[in-house]
Amino acid sequence: MVKRNIKTSLSEDDGEVLNENGKRLAEEANKENKKRVRTKNLYRQPTANELNRLQETENLFNSNLFRLQVDEILEEVKLTEKTIKRFTEWYNSFKVYLMSIVEDDLEFDLSEKKITKFLKVKLPILEQLSQTKAMFKFHKFKDIDIVGSYAVGSTINANLMVDVQITVPAETYTKNDSINYRYHKKRAAYLAYIASHLQKSDLIDELHYCLFNMSLTKPVLIVKPKGKLSNTLLVRLNLACDDEAYKLHRFSPKRNNLRETWLLQSEKQECSAVGPQTPYYNCSVLSDLTAKINNDFIATTLSNSQNLKQAIILLKIWLKQRKLCVSGHIINMLVCCLVQIKRINNIMSSYQIVRNIWIYLKSSEWDTKGLSLSKSKDAPPMDEFLESFPVVFLDKTGYYNICWQMCKGTYNALRRESELAVEMLDNPKLNSFLQLFMVPVSNLTQFDHIIRFKNIQSLKSSVLERVSKENKLNYGLDELPLVVNSIYSLLSKGLTDRVDLILQLGEADFSWPVKKTLEKAKEGYDEKVSFGLVLNPANAIKIVDKGPQANLPEAEEFRLFWGDKSELRRFADGSHIEACVWDGDTFAQRRSISTQIVDYLMELKYSVQPRDIFHICNQLDSLTARKMAAAEQGEEVSVKVLRVFDELRRDMRALTQLPLEISAVYGTSSVFSYSNPLPPLPSIPDPRAWRKASTCLIKTQKDDKRIFLPSYTEANRAMIELSYSGKWPGDIEAFRCLKAAFHLQISDRIKSQYSLASQAYPTHIDVNKNGLSFRLEIFHPKEVTLLRREVVDGVVKFKESEESVKLQRDTMLLAILRGALHGLHQKHPAFGPTACLFKRWLSSHLLSPTHFPSTLAELVTASVFLQPEPLTPPTQPTVGLFRVLQLLLNTDWATQMIVLDFNGDMTREEITELEQKFSDRSENGPQMCIVTSYDGELPSVWSSSAPSRQVVLRAQALAKATLSYIEKALMEDMSDNILAAFIPSYSGYDVLIHLHANLVPHFNERIDSRPKLNASDDVMGDVIPVLEFNPVEKYLEELQGAYEDFALFFHDSFGGDVIAVLWKPHVKDYRDFQIASANALKPVKVKGETKYEVNIEAIIEDFKLIGDGLVKEVVVNM
Amino acid sequence: MKSAHNKTQYRALELHFIKDSPHPHVIYFKEHLVREHTADKPSGRTLFVVNIPPYVDEQCMIKAFRKAGDIQSVQFSIKPNSTISQNSEIFLKEKCTPNFKLCYLVFKTVIGLDNALKLTELQPINCDSHLTLGLKKWINEYNSTILKPSELKDSIERFMEEYDKKTKQEMEKEKQMQEEDDEGWVTVTKRGNIQSFPRTEKVENKIMAKEEKSKKKKELKNFYTFQIRESKMKHIVSLRQKFEEDKKKIAQLKQSRRFKPF
């Protein structure tokens, strides 16, 4: 008790301390001796309050930062005083107006149209119920109340709905109204009566009916208040029922309230008086009956509990960001329940409460054990509920299942997200607050695979034909939930452990004006049925679904479920097992086995044709295929390269008669981490080619005939590490010379020992093995040291120079990073293809590696897999690309950095230090800061030279456009072809240089070109083909070298035959003539004065000259 | 001003690639005048030319100024007062991409320079198309990088021979320094008999660190009450500092409107 008192008193004082601090800081800013005051400030005697606050933060919150962030967000979502005041005023007059409704003695037969004519509004009820006979007379309600989150004080200010509840007097309903939707019809009439009254009010802007939680039988009124208030909130008018109207036990789950004869119009009279149980229908009535009790319970539990309310707000923000369809009411009830069972209390901090709730949810079992708030013994047993509902959470009375409409998928998602949330909180290296509360998820990036059904009506009817009568009766008129639940259980049974989550995707509540009938309003509105799948990376790629042993009785059930697909198979371990085998020859096919299963099962069980099912999962696979190899997937080609490389490595290490042994060979090309969009293919050198030593030359034609270029071959680069020796010379040139000597010797040995074609160069060795070419280079750290060496006053100092950084980056760091990325691909097989897609995307929008380094592209992709929070790593490359684009778009690169910790060996302190350095960095540092755990002394080395700020902004703009295009194409238009997202726009550039297509490398790999058959696979290379001769790259190098002061050059490095040129801003201004900047200037006479400007015409002329033979045409855009 | 124009003002003339190229670059030139002339840029005979297009080579320059007189040498440079060094000690020659450059033209005679300064037009630089540009140039470049092993071996051996010679000379020089000079001083070098340590940053730092350490060893910790008090204070200060830092972070986040969840 004492402790608590201290705390509360403290928290009051706290505010003052803070204020004082804030003031002082503000004053300080003006003073010059700021620093001195600050230190004095830091060393001042601590007050008891301060000590306590520091301690409290340590004990009750995750971290200081977390606490401050929680405070900020709560402040942000709070309703403003102004709004509250405005609403209170409005509500008071609204209440007065509502209470002025007069009770009349008119009685209507609801099966006739008389009432709608009288009220001048339509009844919000389905056509099927129009014939239902009921006599309705309006009895005036006693009171209206504000309920829900607004009443409790746990609102968030986005899309706020204030729940207003009217309790319908018991005498409105007769004893027998509870069956066959007569209750619902009268309820609708009552609502229409109120709507009709409200129509005449001038307090209201618009009046809509709305189907609450998509339940067809429970409409509510959405009231849009007049004036500015409607910008911030809407009022939802709901009808509850006086709890004296019916005894609750009439609606216990085993009871029948919906007669078969009525619903199915069957004439059969032989069935007994009491039909099958209708728990779903019962709950639709119970929710009204129990509303008052539950709301009172929430109000009493939460009143004066500030921390509980804050926790609820936090939870609501979290749910909203995760797009989970869990209502605020359920959250309120859950919090109350946990208070009741003493898992949480108001003394805990909001952080602790939220954390406890997550921990509870994570291990809760509402689907198998259920949860009940009720303590009374009369209530029906839990088992009855568990039989009839997928998710069970009983209210205070013990009759009403609050989660009656919740699908099991939603509950599983809730559980899974809670688990992820706890993991994030426990991850000390993550500022989990942002990921938990600030980052919204979208369906497109959240799921690996989304299933959408195209023809809802036929789907509905074919599913309804096949479900049992009991089920149909239970769901009554709410057909959609029945369809969704049936498909859900089919999917979960068929996909078993391949998926971590199946979630039906919710749609917004349907609302329509009160003057329209429901049927009319529904025209032009098509319901959507879609499911999102999160695949399990390990199990999703299984080719075989193993069933039970053939001789067991379960085998029959398995056969029945899978139909013809089930085969009896013998496995290597000798067992005979029923199994289903799916097509999965390539990695890409194996990743999309889930589509095969869904297509097969839907056709088998509900005869839904595959063309009526739309899958969003592997749309972009065609982009990772190598078209010159008969569209073989890049992964398979990469594997082949890796296999040859492994052999070569072994060979290299076994080389003899070398002065120093080769201790290791590291691959550095992107193909070694599966992230080269166009992995090298075995090539066949032209037998007629000219040769020098072991290498082919390029033929030059003397006359002006067309030059024939051999097809472009990329070399696979690798680093050779020699065993230790202290005898390397201490002079950089001598060092390089000795390296060349080693190259020569190694090349010699490769030739004689393995008779492989090999050629030595001063800088590297080329080796050809199985038609693949490798470019090996000796690397020794001393070379970097020598480049860094500097002698100042006779003292040797080491300083990074541009050259040393480049060498270190391209050799040592790249080799380590490549290994790490290779490991990442092994762990997350979608990494490689995702990186390929991202690179192609960048390049197709003309941001080739000179503007956006390809290693940086790999790192951005890697961060999607290493730090997927709040999601889990994607298993589909297509989704991976969406996530990469989203990351690119949503990161504020000016203020945020990404730390990639591949093996988790960076400590919290190191990361903090990096962040500190980042925030203190100067303006001209890297524009996209991504630090890996290997960077060491050179943080963010991969983005040090490029991209520029403009390129980052351009890439972000492109990502935004691409994402919105894809979202529209996939989620709305359901079109499979989204390749248009990879077609660049050439508008806006100043000059376009068109190249001869036959000279452009990879021209056949363009997005629009067709796959070709591979000539042959078996090539014995006794000669090295022309390697890495890329005229376009040479041309670009020269252009960039000579004209970088005047223009930027953009090109698609994967087969683009256009170079787009953009003049730099101010290129057309007049300039001063100075020796250092006289380049490309020409004198012009302006008003008799000689001024100088850039000679643009001459530069364009130069473009043609420099690119002689390659350039087809230069087009200047005016 | 008028009289000065031959000496200090640049003359501007169009440099045609072939006869009647539609959009030529304009080059600027004047007499090369500096305080100290070097032997390769003799006074009175050297012409200083700027804004030379990237693809132009020595022959082009000779051709352009053909009418002025015979040219002794052409030196290109990216920046004034420095020539592209042709150092034989460099084993791998850096490949530099063509760029706009300037050049020092040395005429054989003084008259050549005078004539050049009076020229009204330049001759086209590629009338006999000796320049290979574009695809052909790149192909030639590629083909020339491929060396026969014996060629490579020769060049390595040549370089190493020279290097060995050079190091030997240095060694001898150092040995000489080891000897006592006239005043009895001995220079300590790496290879002498006298023990010394290498003069590098690393070693210096090591020595400094050792000093620090030994200083610290002498100190007593948690001995006096004031020390204990101070360490407690330090803890609070660090907590405060962290709090301040976090507050700063929040302010930063707030600035970028990161607290609007929706």
Side-chain angles (χ1 to χ4, degrees):
Chain A
M1 255 331 266
V2 178
K3 204 178 170 190
R4 196 171 155 195
N5 277 337
I6 289 171
K7 235 165 230 163
T8 45
S9 71
L10 272 182
S11 56
E12 281 165 22
D13 287 5
D14 244 7
E16 280 175 32
V17 171
L18 272 178
N19 278 342
E20 214 179 275
N21 253 349
K23 251 185 226 161
R24 204 175 296 165
L25 280 174
E27 281 166 16
E28 257 174 51
N30 302 328
K31 287 180 188 169
E32 277 184 14
N33 52 354
K34 192 170 155 190
K35 207 169 177 185
R36 206 173 53 87
V37 177
R38 172 96 186 264
T39 37
K40 209 171 141 196
N41 216 357
L42 277 176
Y43 283 99
R44 68 173 188 272
Q45 278 301 319
T47 56
N49 297 342
E50 201 190 349
L51 274 180
N52 266 312
R53 191 191 149 93
L54 291 172
Q55 201 183 7
E56 197 181 325
T57 310
E58 227 164 59
N59 297 337
L60 300 182
F61 281 87
N62 194 338
S63 68
N64 223 332
L65 196 61
F66 203 97
R67 179 180 192 164
L68 288 167
Q69 281 171 314
V70 165
D71 292 347
E72 286 294 333
I73 201 172
L74 288 176
E75 194 56 40
E76 197 64 53
V77 298
K78 216 168 78 178
L79 276 185
T80 55
E81 299 267 334
K82 216 156 112 194
T83 317
I84 295 174
K85 208 176 132 201
R86 244 188 228 151
F87 177 73
T88 325
E89 270 170 28
W90 181 86
Y91 178 72
N92 286 337
S93 41
F94 177 73
K95 193 170 170 182
V96 171
Y97 180 77
L98 253 185
M99 292 309 281
S100 73
I101 196 166
V102 274
E103 200 172 74
D104 47 21
D105 285 336
L106 290 172
E107 202 169 8
F108 301 96
D109 182 353
L110 290 184
S111 60
E112 291 168 16
K113 293 252 157 122
K114 228 172 91 190
I115 185 162
T116 52
K117 273 183 195 143
F118 172 75
L119 294 175
K120 297 194 187 81
V121 294
K122 297 284 189 292
L123 293 193
I125 204 85
L126 272 181
E127 189 71 41
Q128 283 103 307
L129 293 179
S130 63
Q131 294 309 312
T132 308
K133 282 203 172 102
M135 297 307 285
F136 172 74
K137 193 179 157 205
F138 181 76
H139 296 275
K140 194 178 166 182
F141 44 88
K142 287 192 197 72
D143 205 3
I144 59 177
D145 317 282
I146 298 178
V147 294
S149 59
Y150 189 85
V152 172
S154 60
T155 47
I156 48 180
N157 60 3
N159 306 331
L160 174 62
M161 287 268 188
V162 179
D163 281 301
V164 173
Q165 185 170 289
I166 294 176
T167 309
V168 180
E171 56 266 36
T172 313
Y173 306 110
T174 62
K175 203 179 153 208
N176 281 331
D177 282 344
S178 64
I179 59 163
N180 294 355
Y181 285 111
R182 247 178 286 167
Y183 170 84
H184 300 88
K185 188 149 191 198
K186 279 195 171 175
R187 186 179 179 278
Y190 202 96
L191 198 65
Y193 206 95
I194 292 170
S196 152
H197 178 65
L198 286 178
Q199 274 233 302
K200 294 165 211 151
S201 163
D202 54 353
L203 288 166
I204 288 155
D205 204 17
E206 277 170 45
L207 208 53
H208 284 268
Y209 287 129
C210 176
L211 294 180
F212 194 38
N213 288 346
M214 279 319 264
S215 153
L216 285 169
T217 49
K218 304 213 59 189
V220 292
L221 263 180
I222 302 284
V223 179
K224 191 173 170 193
K226 256 227 161 79
K228 273 186 185 167
L229 201 55
S230 62
N231 295 338
T232 43
L233 53 81
L234 295 172
V235 175
R236 183 163 52 200
L237 199 66
N238 198 3
L239 294 185
C241 179
D242 200 346
D243 48 2
E244 282 161 20
Y246 298 104
K247 286 271 183 295
L248 288 175
H249 67 83
R250 289 183 62 166
F251 301 102
S252 63
K254 286 285 178 200
R255 298 291 288 266
N256 172 289
N257 281 306
L258 193 56
R259 304 292 183 248
E260 201 179 329
T261 47
W262 178 86
L263 184 73
L264 306 171
Q265 258 94 49
S266 59
E267 298 298 319
K268 284 177 258 169
Q269 293 294 320
E270 87 266 17
C271 55
S272 55
V274 184
Q277 54 187 12
T278 56
Y280 189 87
Y281 173 90
N282 295 354
C283 269
S284 70
V285 182
L286 273 172
S287 71
D288 286 355
L289 280 175
T290 57
K292 199 168 161 27
I293 302 172
N294 288 326
N295 282 331
D296 289 348
F297 171 63
I298 291 173
T300 46
T301 317
L302 295 186
S303 63
N304 299 328
S305 306
Q306 204 50 43
N307 286 348
L308 287 176
K309 283 177 198 169
Q310 284 183 354
I312 293 174
I313 294 176
L314 287 178
L315 277 177
K316 275 186 178 169
I317 296 171
W318 173 71
L319 286 173
K320 215 170 158 128
Q321 301 289 34
R322 294 289 164 280
K323 288 213 168 54
L324 287 173
C325 301
V326 179
S327 69
H329 183 64
I330 295 179
I331 291 302
N332 284 347
M333 289 302 270
L334 172 65
V335 169
C336 294
C337 179
L338 293 182
V339 171
Q340 189 176 300
I341 60 174
K342 301 202 168 68
R343 290 268 311 230
I344 52 178
N345 56 49
N346 192 38
I347 301 167
M348 293 175 166
S349 74
S350 53
Y351 161 74
Q352 282 174 315
I353 298 173
V354 172
R355 192 187 154 87
N356 269 315
I357 292 173
W358 278 330
I359 289 173
Y360 167 77
L361 277 176
K362 177 179 122 174
S363 51
S364 66
E365 288 165 320
W366 294 1
D367 50 345
T368 53
K369 289 205 176 127
L371 174 71
S372 176
L373 268 167
S374 152
K375 282 172 190 155
S376 88
K377 294 209 172 85
D378 319 330
M382 183 59 90
D383 295 346
E384 286 181 14
F385 285 98
L386 287 170
E387 264 169 44
S388 5
F389 295 100
V391 185
V392 179
F393 176 21
L394 299 182
D395 73 337
K396 198 70 191 149
T397 60
Y399 284 91
Y400 169 50
N401 180 10
I402 304 164
C403 297
W404 61 291
Q405 285 168 317
M406 193 187 270
C407 181
K408 202 168 167 186
T410 313
Y411 174 64
N412 283 338
L414 183 68
R415 217 161 32 174
R416 184 168 175 273
E417 288 295 345
S418 307
E419 196 177 336
L420 289 175
V422 175
E423 266 171 36
M424 272 186 251
L425 284 182
D426 290 345
N427 184 350
K429 287 175 193 167
L430 195 71
N431 180 4
S432 45
F433 180 85
L434 294 178
Q435 266 77 12
L436 282 170
F437 297 108
M438 303 305 295
V439 182
V441 297
S442 77
N443 288 336
L444 206 57
T445 49
Q446 187 183 11
F447 298 110
D448 295 311
H449 180 182
I450 297 177
I451 305 161
R452 285 197 52 185
F453 295 96
K454 283 181 180 164
N455 197 340
I456 302 296
Q457 283 316 317
S458 76
L459 173 79
K460 245 183 180 176
S461 57
S462 56
V463 171
L464 286 176
E465 260 173 46
R466 288 168 175 82
V467 295
S468 70
K469 203 171 67 185
E470 285 77 21
N471 248 334
K472 234 164 154 180
L473 205 57
N474 184 14
Y475 283 91
L477 294 177
D478 280 336
E479 286 166 351
L480 202 60
L482 175 59
V483 172
V484 168
N485 279 337
S486 312
I487 298 176
Y488 174 84
S489 45
L490 176 73
L491 290 180
S492 61
K493 199 169 171 195
L495 292 168
T496 55
D497 58 351
R498 286 175 190 277
V499 288
D500 282 342
L501 179 70
I502 305 173
L503 180 63
Q504 81 289 2
L505 303 182
E507 295 294 327
D509 285 343
F510 178 65
S511 65
W512 73 100
V514 290
K515 298 238 174 192
K516 271 192 183 164
T517 57
L518 178 56
E519 272 66 30
K520 252 212 194 113
K522 277 220 162 172
E523 282 169 18
Y525 169 84
D526 36 319
E527 290 166 304
K528 288 174 192 158
V529 175
S530 37
F531 290 88
L533 309 182
V534 175
L535 300 180
N536 180 306
N539 297 330
I541 51 170
K542 281 187 307 187
I543 302 176
V544 183
D545 270 318
K546 284 188 191 174
Q549 289 221 343
N551 50 6
L552 292 174
E554 291 91 4
E556 186 54 38
E557 199 188 317
F558 188 82
R559 271 193 293 274
L560 212 63
F561 181 75
W562 288 105
D564 295 341
K565 197 77 191 173
S566 166
E567 300 165 9
L568 189 60
R569 287 205 164 222
R570 212 187 74 167
F571 285 90
D573 60 353
S575 54
H576 287 73
I577 280 176
E578 283 288 337
C580 301
V581 182
W582 307 98
D583 294 337
D585 299 333
T586 65
F587 291 113
Q589 250 179 344
R590 289 179 67 175
R591 274 195 293 265
S592 53
I593 283 179
S594 54
T595 57
Q596 289 178 40
I597 297 179
V598 172
D599 280 350
Y600 174 75
L601 281 178
M602 286 309 289
E603 191 168 9
L604 179 75
K605 299 291 174 186
Y606 296 122
S607 54
V608 175
Q609 295 301 311
R611 62 166 186 277
D612 281 339
I613 305 171
F614 181 65
H615 299 281
I616 301 173
C617 75
N618 56 355
Q619 264 78 0
L620 294 176
D621 274 1
S622 69
L623 277 178
T624 47
R626 185 84 216 244
K627 284 178 175 145
M628 288 300 277
E632 193 175 8
Q633 279 290 322
E635 280 163 286
E636 271 82 27
V637 182
S638 301
V639 167
K640 282 180 195 161
V641 176
L642 269 163
R643 221 167 273 154
V644 178
F645 180 59
D646 278 341
E647 279 172 36
L648 182 70
R649 266 162 122 164
R650 216 165 336 160
D651 292 350
M652 294 290 292
R653 278 199 300 264
L655 280 180
T656 52
Q657 297 175 27
L658 289 175
L660 286 177
E661 264 176 46
I662 293 174
S663 61
V665 181
Y666 303 103
T668 53
S669 278
S670 57
V671 68
F672 298 126
S673 62
Y674 301 85
S675 39
N676 187 348
L678 301 174
L681 298 169
S683 67
I684 325 118
D686 185 2
R688 291 160 302 170
W690 300 342
R691 294 182 188 183
K692 188 176 180 188
S694 318
T695 308
C696 288
L697 296 178
I698 309 168
K699 281 185 187 175
T700 46
Q701 255 85 356
K702 280 288 164 212
D703 41 7
D704 277 346
K705 272 185 200 165
R706 249 180 58 184
I707 291 178
F708 170 76
L709 286 186
S711 65
Y712 179 72
T713 315
E714 204 179 320
N716 304 298
R717 289 162 190 272
M719 292 289 136
I720 299 175
E721 193 183 75
L722 296 176
S723 57
Y724 179 77
S725 159
K727 286 183 181 166
W728 288 93
D731 176 83
I732 182 71
E733 293 307 324
F735 185 94
R736 283 179 173 162
C737 185
L738 206 62
K739 217 168 92 170
F742 263 106
H743 285 146
L744 192 65
Q745 210 157 9
I746 293 173
S747 160
D748 245 13
R749 288 304 304 157
I750 293 174
K751 261 188 264 180
S752 56
Q753 204 168 329
Y754 301 107
S755 48
L756 294 173
S758 171
Q759 168 93 38
Y761 294 87
T763 47
H764 58 265
I765 312 163
D766 283 348
V767 185
N768 191 294
K769 190 174 169 75
N770 299 0
L772 289 165
S773 302
F774 295 88
R775 184 159 282 188
L776 310 165
E777 189 190 338
I778 291 175
F779 168 70
H780 196 284
K782 189 161 184 183
E783 197 174 348
V784 177
T785 319
L786 287 176
L787 283 174
R788 287 167 56 193
R789 209 173 119 110
E790 218 172 61
V791 181
V792 183
D793 302 335
V795 179
V796 177
K797 289 200 170 169
F798 293 98
K799 214 176 129 195
E800 300 293 352
S801 68
E802 203 177 312
E803 217 180 339
S804 76
V805 169
K806 194 172 170 298
L807 182 73
Q808 196 178 358
R809 182 186 72 189
D810 293 345
T811 54
M812 193 161 68
L813 293 179
L814 186 59
I816 301 173
L817 184 68
R818 193 57 66 202
L821 290 176
H822 178 86
L824 187 67
H825 180 87
Q826 302 297 342
K827 202 170 160 198
H828 304 290
F831 165 74
T834 307
C836 293
L837 285 177
F838 183 47
K839 282 182 182 176
R840 278 214 85 145
W841 178 82
L842 280 172
S843 191
S844 71
H845 290 290
L846 309 183
L847 299 174
S848 52
T850 38
H851 295 290
F852 201 103
S854 71
T855 316
L856 185 66
E858 283 160 18
L859 290 181
V860 175
T861 313
S863 77
V864 164
F865 289 85
L866 285 172
Q867 294 167 359
E869 288 84 3
L871 305 162
T872 46
T875 57
Q876 285 283 358
T878 305
V879 178
L881 178 72
F882 301 159
R883 294 235 201 131
V884 174
L885 294 182
Q886 197 144 52
L887 177 80
L888 183 67
L889 176 61
N890 290 347
T891 311
D892 179 9
W893 295 102
T895 57
Q896 278 173 278
M897 68 182 290
I898 291 180
V899 179
L900 289 183
D901 190 4
F902 280 93
N903 298 321
D905 36 33
M906 283 171 103
T907 58
R908 180 65 236 171
E909 286 71 39
E910 279 173 308
I911 296 173
T912 323
E913 201 188 313
L914 281 171
E915 276 167 355
Q916 190 63 40
K917 260 191 211 157
F918 175 73
S919 59
D920 297 345
R921 83 202 196 290
S922 59
E923 280 296 302
N924 45 15
Q927 294 296 327
M928 280 177 81
C929 196
I930 300 185
V931 184
T932 74
S933 46
Y934 308 118
D935 286 1
E937 298 291 302
L938 309 166
S940 193
V941 66
W942 300 105
S943 53
S944 53
S945 52
S948 64
R949 207 175 122 66
Q950 288 76 9
V951 168
V952 175
L953 292 179
R954 168 101 179 129
Q956 285 187 313
L958 285 167
K960 192 173 179 188
T962 306
L963 280 173
S964 68
Y965 166 78
I966 287 174
E967 175 105 34
K968 188 175 176 303
L970 290 180
M971 302 300 277
E972 285 171 35
D973 302 346
M974 292 201 255
S975 103
D976 258 327
N977 189 353
I978 51 170
L979 292 183
F982 288 78
I983 292 170
S985 148
Y986 287 112
S987 67
Y989 294 103
D990 294 312
V991 180
L992 296 182
I993 305 174
H994 293 267
L995 310 173
H996 285 293
N998 62 321
L999 299 178
V1000 174
H1002 296 314
F1003 187 74
N1004 293 321
E1005 299 285 352
R1006 285 155 56 101
I1007 290 158
D1008 50 359
S1009 53
R1010 299 189 165 281
K1012 275 189 190 158
L1013 265 181
N1014 204 0
S1016 84
D1017 263 339
D1018 307 315
V1019 267
M1020 275 316 292
D1022 61 334
V1023 65
I1024 298 165
V1026 175
L1027 276 184
E1028 305 219 323
F1029 178 72
N1030 187 341
V1032 182
E1033 205 170 273
K1034 292 258 177 213
Y1035 182 44
L1036 276 169
E1037 254 171 43
E1038 291 197 2
L1039 288 178
Q1040 263 148 2
Y1043 306 103
E1044 65 179 347
D1045 293 341
F1046 312 107
L1048 294 169
F1049 300 90
F1050 297 91
H1051 175 244
D1052 177 0
S1053 53
F1054 300 113
D1057 58 348
V1058 176
I1059 293 174
V1061 186
L1062 194 66
W1063 297 124
K1064 288 209 167 167
H1066 314 302
V1067 79
K1068 290 191 174 141
D1069 296 356
Y1070 295 118
R1071 303 184 175 210
D1072 293 335
F1073 183 87
Q1074 280 163 350
I1075 301 174
S1077 62
N1079 294 349
L1081 292 190
K1082 67 171 180 192
V1084 278
K1085 291 266 181 223
V1086 184
K1087 293 174 194 161
E1089 258 181 275
T1090 310
K1091 290 193 173 175
Y1092 293 93
E1093 68 171 8
V1094 176
N1095 196 348
I1096 289 178
E1097 291 81 12
I1099 291 178
I1100 293 172
E1101 202 61 28
D1102 288 356
F1103 292 167
K1104 291 180 204 163
L1105 285 178
I1106 293 179
D1108 181 40
L1110 177 69
V1111 175
K1112 193 162 77 181
E1113 189 187 4
V1114 177
V1115 180
V1116 183
N1117 288 341
M1118 283 306 163
Chain B
M1 273 309 274
K2 268 274 167 189
S3 61
H5 107 270
N6 347 349
K7 289 280 175 193
T8 56
Q9 283 269 321
Y10 283 94
R11 303 226 334 109
L13 282 181
E14 289 181 342
L15 185 70
H16 288 266
F17 187 71
I18 46 171
K19 209 160 187 279
D20 302 326
S21 319
H23 301 289
H25 276 287
V26 179
I27 60 168
Y28 307 90
F29 55 89
K30 64 167 191 176
E31 192 186 340
H32 180 54
L33 283 174
V34 281
R35 225 163 275 155
E36 283 168 39
H37 281 275
T38 47
D40 55 345
K41 292 169 208 158
S43 156
R45 286 194 287 142
T46 311
L47 189 69
F48 179 57
V49 193
V50 294
N51 190 25
I52 298 168
Y55 41 82
V56 170
D57 67 355
E58 278 125 12
Q59 272 198 52
C60 292
M61 292 311 291
I62 295 172
K63 264 180 210 156
F65 286 93
R66 188 167 41 188
K67 285 276 170 74
D70 287 343
I71 287 162
Q72 186 183 317
S73 76
V74 184
Q75 295 161 44
F76 286 116
S77 163
I78 297 294
K79 276 181 192 152
N81 303 328
S82 70
T83 42
I84 298 166
S85 60
Q86 298 289 322
N87 201 339
S88 64
E89 278 174 29
I90 288 178
F91 177 68
L92 286 175
K93 300 212 169 55
E94 286 273 331
K95 212 187 79 191
C96 50
T97 50
N99 200 345
F100 282 96
K101 53 204 162 192
L102 37 87
C103 128
Y104 301 96
L105 273 181
V106 183
F107 287 92
K108 280 196 176 144
T109 56
V110 181
I111 305 158
L113 178 70
D114 282 350
N115 288 341
L117 289 169
K118 282 175 200 144
L119 282 179
T120 49
E121 66 168 352
L122 297 173
Q123 299 304 307
I125 53 173
N126 199 27
C127 44
D128 57 353
S129 46
H130 75 279
L131 266 182
T132 48
L133 285 175
L135 200 55
K136 278 184 194 156
K137 180 185 154 203
W138 301 320
I139 290 175
N140 288 339
E141 267 177 21
Y142 179 86
N143 286 346
S144 67
T145 54
I146 296 164
L147 295 175
K148 279 189 188 143
S150 55
E151 287 168 4
L152 181 60
K153 203 173 169 188
D154 284 348
S155 76
I156 291 170
E157 274 169 3
R158 231 179 302 127
F159 182 87
M160 281 321 270
E161 221 170 85
E162 222 166 274
Y163 175 73
D164 284 344
K165 223 191 275 170
K166 213 179 75 189
T167 39
K168 213 172 171 187
Q169 274 173 7
E170 262 172 40
M171 284 255 280
E172 267 166 26
K173 207 174 149 200
E174 278 186 9
K175 241 181 206 161
Q176 273 179 5
M177 282 161 83
Q178 294 264 326
E179 306 285 316
E180 249 177 67
D181 66 6
D182 304 339
E183 290 167 28
W185 289 100
V186 171
T187 316
V188 179
T189 61
K190 227 166 152 184
R191 293 181 186 80
N193 299 327
I194 305 159
Q195 286 257 320
S196 68
F197 56 82
R199 291 193 64 192
T200 64
E201 206 181 11
K202 211 169 138 191
V203 176
E204 273 185 3
N205 288 345
K206 237 185 209 166
I207 295 167
M208 297 307 274
K210 224 176 181 177
E211 285 277 292
E212 283 281 301
K213 220 178 167 184
S214 61
K215 244 188 214 170
K216 271 211 173 141
K217 250 187 194 168
K218 288 174 196 156
E219 251 176 51
L220 286 169
K221 263 183 196 164
N222 287 340
F223 185 73
Y224 300 107
T225 6
F226 83 88
Q227 281 173 325
I228 296 165
R229 204 167 52 221
E230 251 173 23
S231 79
K232 268 186 191 167
M233 197 64 207
K234 256 183 199 159
H235 178 68
I236 290 174
V237 165
S238 78
L239 279 178
R240 271 181 188 158
Q241 243 158 359
K242 197 158 177 295
F243 185 63
E244 290 293 322
E245 263 165 37
D246 286 346
K247 268 212 299 213
K248 231 193 268 169
K249 253 188 208 169
I250 295 283
Q252 206 182 20
L253 287 171
K254 219 168 154 183
Q255 226 172 21
S256 53
R257 300 179 66 74
R258 289 297 300 277
F259 287 109
K260 284 246 182 272
F262 314 111

